[in-house]
């Protein structure tokens, strides 16, 4: 393939940042799908605000910077306007689990066909180390020098409860597995949620902690909701416990954007087709 998929923009991520692994995994999966015949112009990457968002500068595909917490609304609009696109959302844990949390829940509830990748370093790295919704209990950072008194969110559990049809967790130092899960997410018809554990090399380096605890789930029936529920609750993002990686749950259900798909009749223009769709929606 002649196209490299990496731009010439100067990369400003810190050495050792987990974002590099996610960028590499995405590039590899996208390149493979292009080789298989998926048109490169049909990939769209939407990012939020934070260190993760620079991935839009570094990957040479269609992209859009959304404002803080608004990655999913932008991606939803893009997917509704053109359901044939492969729309990928990248967001940080502060971006997605704090200000953008309501959008995340509604995307799962609607089963909009997006691949949601959360770069979860569990700290606000761009603003030098404040705690986020997934920072562990008693985390000491710039805004909490005495330690937090809040338990962290468990995002996979939240997504299961919200109706997501694919819920997975990966880790940036398990690169082959990360690529496989991202690929699975892109191929899943519906809302694919992937919580990617990564380190912030400057403000929250959890490499040793993760390396000692992560394991890949095996012989797991991903169609069993209650088994998935038990698995995602093994680790609560704070206490010491084994950390499962893999696809916890997956089901095929009606996709939100298919309800708005425009089917043109022979000779029918786009404006006419859109008008017919709107009239059908309002019952005329």
């Amino acid at each position: 393939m002649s196209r490299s998929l990496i731009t010439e923009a100067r990369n400003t991520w810190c050495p050792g940042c987990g974002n590099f692994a996610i960028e590499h995994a995405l590039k590899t999966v996208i390149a493979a799908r292009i080789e298989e015949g998926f048109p490169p112009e049909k990939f769209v990457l939407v990012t939020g605000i934070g260190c993760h968002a620079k991935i839009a500068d570094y990957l040479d595909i269609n992209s859009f910077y959304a404002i803080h917490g608004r990655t999913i609304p932008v991606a939803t609009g893009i997917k509704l306007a053109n359901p044939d696109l492969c729309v990928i959302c990248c967001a940080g844990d502060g971006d997605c689990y704090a200000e953008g949390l309501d959008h995340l829940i509604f995307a799962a509830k609607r089963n909009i066909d997006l691949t949601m990748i959360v770069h979860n370093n569990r700290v606000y790295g761009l603003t030098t180390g404040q705690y986020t919704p997934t920072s562990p209990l008693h985390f000491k950072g710039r805004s909490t020098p005495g330690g937090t008194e809040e338990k962290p969110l468990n995002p996979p559990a939240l997504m299961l409860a919200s109706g997501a049809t694919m819920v997975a967790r990966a880790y940036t130092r398990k690169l082959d597995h990360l690529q496989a899960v991202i690929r699975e997410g892109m191929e899943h018809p519906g809302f694919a949620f992937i919580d990617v554990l990564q380190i912030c090399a400057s403000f929250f380096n959890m490499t040793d902690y993760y390396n000692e605890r992560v394991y890949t789930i095996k012989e797991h029936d991903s169609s069993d909701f209650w088994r998935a529920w038990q698995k995602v609750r093994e680790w609560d993002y704070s206490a010491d416990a084994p950390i499962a990686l893999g696809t916890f749950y997956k089901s095929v259900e009606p996709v939100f954007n298919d309800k708005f798909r425009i089917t043109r009749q022979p000779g029918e223009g786009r404006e006419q087709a859109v008008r017919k769709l709107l009239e059908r929606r309002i019952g005329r």
Side-chain angles (χ1 to χ4, degrees):
M1 185 183 67
S2 58
R3 187 169 173 175
S4 72
L5 292 177
I6 299 297
T7 70
E8 296 181 355
R10 186 172 72 88
N11 195 305
T12 60
W13 286 329
C14 301
C17 176
N19 286 324
F20 286 105
I22 298 175
E23 179 195 15
H24 180 81
L26 257 178
K27 180 202 70 174
T28 301
V29 173
I30 290 170
R33 297 200 71 193
I34 292 173
E35 288 281 0
E36 294 163 3
F38 193 88
E41 66 273 15
K42 288 194 174 183
F43 287 102
V44 182
L45 173 65
V46 184
T47 66
I49 297 296
C51 292
H52 79 277
K54 298 174 186 175
I55 197 170
D57 292 333
Y58 306 148
L59 278 179
D60 187 15
I61 57 175
N62 295 315
S63 60
F64 190 103
Y65 270 105
I67 59 175
H68 202 221
R70 302 300 186 270
T71 311
I72 289 175
V74 172
T76 298
I78 292 171
K79 188 67 181 181
L80 289 177
N82 189 345
D84 294 331
L85 298 176
C86 177
V87 184
I88 306 156
C89 287
C90 283
D93 47 309
D95 183 51
C96 187
Y97 299 149
E99 193 161 355
L101 184 62
D102 51 347
H103 300 299
L104 178 67
I105 291 171
F106 270 76
K109 171 177 172 289
R110 289 168 175 156
N111 197 31
I112 180 78
D113 187 14
L114 305 176
T115 303
M116 183 78 223
I117 301 171
V118 182
H119 301 224
N120 189 359
N121 60 15
R122 308 171 70 199
V123 71
Y124 282 100
L126 191 65
T127 51
T128 69
Q130 295 81 14
Y131 85 105
T132 75
T134 52
S135 299
L137 182 65
H138 304 317
F139 171 83
K140 293 183 179 180
R142 288 291 182 91
S143 60
T144 53
T148 64
E149 294 299 337
E150 300 175 22
K151 292 181 179 178
L153 285 178
N154 183 331
L158 178 66
M159 287 294 90
L160 280 176
S162 301
T165 53
M166 177 178 160
V167 178
R169 184 194 288 135
Y171 174 41
T172 52
R173 290 179 66 87
K174 300 287 185 182
L175 192 56
D176 289 345
H177 180 258
L178 173 62
Q179 290 172 5
V181 172
I182 289 175
R183 169 99 191 200
E184 186 178 1
M186 284 188 193
E187 294 175 348
H188 175 67
F191 187 67
F193 169 81
I194 307 169
D195 185 55
V196 182
L197 300 175
Q198 68 170 89
I199 65 152
C200 174
S202 298
F203 298 104
F204 198 34
N205 192 336
M206 298 284 283
T207 301
D208 291 341
Y209 179 90
Y210 290 142
N211 286 349
E212 292 172 3
R213 292 166 179 77
V214 297
Y215 74 98
T216 304
I217 55 177
K218 297 178 180 177
E219 299 179 358
H220 172 74
D221 180 2
S222 61
S223 67
D224 188 331
F225 180 89
W226 293 111
R227 286 290 299 162
W229 182 253
Q230 292 173 340
K231 188 59 69 178
V232 302
R233 287 174 59 83
E234 281 183 351
W235 180 56
D236 66 359
Y237 284 71
S238 192
D240 287 341
I243 302 172
L245 305 176
T247 299
F248 302 114
Y249 181 71
K250 192 162 65 173
S251 66
V252 177
E253 298 179 20
V255 175
F256 184 70
N257 40 284
D258 280 350
K259 300 172 185 175
F260 302 92
R261 185 177 288 273
I262 298 172
T263 302
R264 296 192 205 180
Q265 300 301 317
E268 186 178 45
R270 176 176 173 77
E271 182 177 341
Q272 187 180 2
V274 171
R275 185 177 298 280
K276 283 171 57 179
L277 173 67
L278 293 175
E279 289 176 347
R280 190 166 72 243
R281 297 295 300 177
I282 61 177
R284 292 172 61 181

